[in-house]
Amino acid sequence: MSVIVIGAGLSGLSAACHLTGRGHEVTLVERHDRPGGRGLRRQQEGFVFDTGPTVMTMPGLVDDALRAVGTTIEAELPMTLLDPAYRAVYADGSTIHVRHGIEAMRDEIARTCGPKDAEAFPRFAAWLKRLYEVEMPHFIDHNFDSPLGLASSPKAAATLLRLGGFRRLGPVVREWFDDERLHRLFSFQALYAGLSPEDALALYAVITYMDSIEGVWFPKGGMDAVPAALAAAAARAGVEQHYGEAVERLLLDRRGAVSGVALESGERLRADAVVCTLDLPAAYERLLPQLRPPRAVRSGTYSPSAVVWHVGAQGLPAEGTAHHNIHFGDDWVGSFKALIDDRSLMPDPSRLVTVPTVTDPSLAPDGCSTLYVLEPVPNLTGTVDWEATRPQMAERLTNFLDSNGYPTDVVTDHLMTPLEWRDLGMHQGTPFALAHTFGQTGPFRPGNLERRVPGLVFAGSGTVPGVGVPMVLVSGKLAADRVDDYLPAPARRGLTPTGGAGRHDVAPGGSVA
């Protein structure tokens, strides 16, 4: 059976690989001239910028997709384990490194926070692992047809309740540790879910598990290497790929089921099913104007946005700078109130500075650095006038970089604000889609099946399971599961290799090269 996948981002590439491995004839259509989706690579004056996600966790999920088309992550995508995963810098000048391995991190906590918190860490790590083991197979890597589907795993739901997964993340982390710096270090991940730690459910500590316990990795050549590897492997397995081609509309048969797509060029591609990875509001507006979108798509709570400043600078950062650096502001509670409740700029922001040239100097000219500076900001429903504020952001961020030992002799740069995210088709100018409130999580999140248009399936951050590199990779696999349920079973191609790392495994040691 034939399937068209719209979009060559991580979710679309994941879907294409899984579908191909299951015997479907797959065609991938991407409006840009190469794979990557919102994570397209940008090159300026010898500097290389990854414009999408910069934090790579759970590489076993990439391996899953590659194995579906007969290869492995070891063969296709050399990666380096980052240790430290993060360097956390606090307003008082202190620093904590997120080290890889339970013993190494316990020693770091003992050195910086004292023996009591150090002794608590292995138990905390075990709790995080147990959350992950319960959530991944039963609530993340799982398609739900309705909220009633939660009853299909009563034991898992009871375990999650017993573990405190439905409590609030901030208070739960505070019960584990005394040092306030650790409270921030192990709960800031709530921002990935579009919430403050005081509002996010503790079950989102699974994100903390993914980066703080399983580790953060860096693909050789940058994050762009991930979609490039998936696209190359898919092509070898027979996926037909159309780049520089935008889908204008869906083709429907007499009963209203999808029968293919019409491209803006006028060409028509026929298919028995379609996987769409557009941001859901854009998908309904552009491709399904005849349908009323689900309530959450129309009026749900969308995540805050981010200003991302890509900087190519002359000079190197201060000694001790890590690949990923989190600078925590002093007014933690007040900043979240401003960002989420008041929808205004954080008065004392926390920021992420990624310096990929610390790991791979080839991403900049000799003696230079490539910087990725991210500051959380309100989306376009907030109070900020971005036309007026945009010119001030570079100065605001330059002062921050200068005061923290980063090079500020800017050779070239590119600033992304909510206005630019909006122009890329992201609703309310946020790249983080719907926030993961309880009513927008799991079976309550917009589903990946549009039942009014048989054969149409969604993937990406707007649908299940949610936002982040691991989640969108899973969303592609879940979309493939939906297509399998819809179409007659094709003959499997026998592409999947045997042996090696199992599902969701992370290779031990310093690399998976």
Side-chain angles (χ1 to χ4, degrees):
M1 306 300 285
S2 60
V3 185
I4 290 173
V5 178
I6 303 173
L10 293 179
S11 64
L13 290 164
S14 172
C17 288
H18 285 289
L19 287 164
T20 300
R22 299 174 191 189
H24 298 283
E25 298 293 330
V26 179
T27 300
L28 188 67
V29 182
E30 167 58 52
R31 65 189 175 111
H32 294 107
D33 61 3
R34 60 191 188 280
R38 66 186 60 181
L40 283 174
R41 167 159 292 186
R42 187 182 185 95
Q43 299 189 47
Q44 294 179 198
E45 300 186 43
F47 294 87
V48 178
F49 304 118
D50 282 320
T51 62
T54 63
V55 179
M56 179 72 211
T57 62
M58 306 306 292
L61 295 170
V62 179
D63 190 55
D64 285 349
L66 289 170
R67 284 175 176 272
V69 288
T71 186
T72 66
I73 196 170
E74 289 86 355
E76 304 294 334
L77 191 60
M79 287 195 190
T80 299
L81 175 66
L82 300 180
D83 192 4
Y86 299 99
R87 177 182 67 120
V89 182
Y90 298 88
D92 63 1
S94 62
T95 300
I96 300 175
H97 293 88
V98 177
R99 302 298 309 277
H100 185 70
I102 305 300
E103 291 303 317
M105 191 63 207
R106 182 170 68 176
D107 291 345
E108 177 72 5
I109 293 174
R111 182 183 67 82
T112 56
C113 305
K116 183 180 178 183
D117 282 344
E119 289 306 308
F121 179 73
R123 299 192 302 276
F124 175 69
W127 174 73
L128 292 175
K129 183 178 181 181
R130 185 64 182 131
L131 276 179
Y132 174 82
E133 291 171 341
V134 173
E135 290 181 51
M136 178 56 84
H138 298 289
F139 303 108
I140 296 175
D141 191 3
H142 189 86
N143 276 318
F144 290 95
D145 291 321
S146 78
L148 294 177
L150 291 171
S152 65
S153 303
K155 185 176 179 181
T159 301
L160 198 57
L161 181 64
R162 178 175 55 80
L163 290 170
F166 296 105
R167 297 177 59 201
R168 301 298 168 181
L169 179 60
V172 168
V173 172
R174 287 196 291 272
E175 290 179 3
W176 283 101
F177 303 106
D178 290 339
D179 196 303
E180 190 268 345
R181 294 173 298 172
L182 296 178
H183 302 164
R184 300 185 184 191
L185 189 60
F186 295 131
S187 68
F188 80 87
Q189 294 86 353
L191 261 178
Y192 298 152
L195 302 167
S196 80
E198 300 306 305
D199 295 327
L201 295 175
L203 57 86
Y204 285 111
V206 69
I207 308 174
T208 307
Y209 171 80
M210 290 177 178
D211 61 15
S212 298
I213 306 301
E214 285 292 348
V216 176
W217 303 76
F218 185 68
K220 183 179 180 181
M223 289 293 289
D224 179 70
V226 179
L230 289 169
R236 291 198 302 270
V239 175
E240 183 180 338
Q241 302 181 30
H242 294 250
Y243 292 100
E245 297 271 14
V247 172
E248 182 178 62
R249 59 188 174 90
L250 297 175
L251 301 177
L252 306 179
D253 65 16
R254 292 180 180 178
R255 61 191 178 95
V258 294
S259 60
V261 300
L263 305 182
E264 289 183 352
S265 64
E267 184 180 1
R268 293 186 171 200
L269 304 176
R270 296 292 178 177
D272 301 299
V274 171
V275 176
C276 177
T277 69
L278 299 179
D279 201 29
L280 285 188
Y284 278 93
E285 180 181 351
R286 290 173 49 190
L287 303 181
L288 298 164
Q290 77 278 20
L291 297 183
R292 183 174 172 83
R295 182 201 57 80
V297 175
R298 298 192 315 270
S299 56
T301 301
Y302 281 78
S303 296
S305 185
V307 163
V308 175
W309 193 27
H310 300 282
V311 178
Q314 180 72 40
L316 303 177
E319 185 177 355
T321 298
H323 188 111
H324 296 299
N325 307 269
I326 304 172
H327 294 261
F328 288 106
D330 189 36
D331 186 5
W332 184 244
V333 174
S335 289
F336 278 108
K337 181 182 183 301
L339 176 66
I340 295 175
D341 296 338
D342 302 337
R343 300 185 181 186
S344 60
L345 292 177
M346 287 180 164
D348 186 17
S350 297
R351 299 180 175 102
L352 169 69
V353 181
T354 293
V355 191
T357 42
V358 167
T359 304
D360 186 354
S362 70
L363 299 175
D366 289 344
C368 296
S369 300
T370 294
L371 308 175
Y372 170 105
V373 189
L374 182 149
E375 178 179 325
V377 299
N379 62 38
L380 292 175
T381 66
T383 62
V384 180
D385 179 350
W386 284 106
E387 293 289 355
T389 303
R390 191 181 191 283
Q392 304 167 12
M393 289 304 300
E395 181 179 359
R396 173 182 170 107
L397 294 175
T398 297
N399 292 336
F400 157 74
L401 290 176
D402 188 54
S403 63
N404 283 279
Y406 297 100
T408 55
D409 184 2
V410 177
V411 177
T412 187
D413 71 312
H414 179 66
L415 184 68
M416 298 289 293
T417 75
L419 297 177
E420 282 70 34
W421 299 124
R422 178 201 62 194
D423 293 343
L424 288 174
M426 299 173 198
H427 191 58
Q428 296 184 6
T430 175
F432 306 117
L434 286 162
H436 285 265
T437 62
F438 179 77
Q440 298 177 169
T441 293
F444 304 107
R445 199 168 180 81
N448 57 4
L449 202 60
E450 178 43 83
R451 298 185 184 279
R452 294 168 292 180
V453 183
L456 177 61
V457 180
F458 295 118
S461 58
T463 183
V464 291
V467 179
V469 171
M471 299 300 113
V472 298
L473 288 166
V474 171
S475 82
K477 184 258 184 186
L478 294 178
D481 292 344
R482 290 295 197 187
V483 172
D484 276 349
D485 291 340
Y486 175 71
L487 296 178
R492 299 238 172 189
R493 297 190 177 190
L495 292 170
T496 305
T498 58
R503 178 148 182 78
H504 309 314
D505 287 346
V506 178
S511 79
V512 293

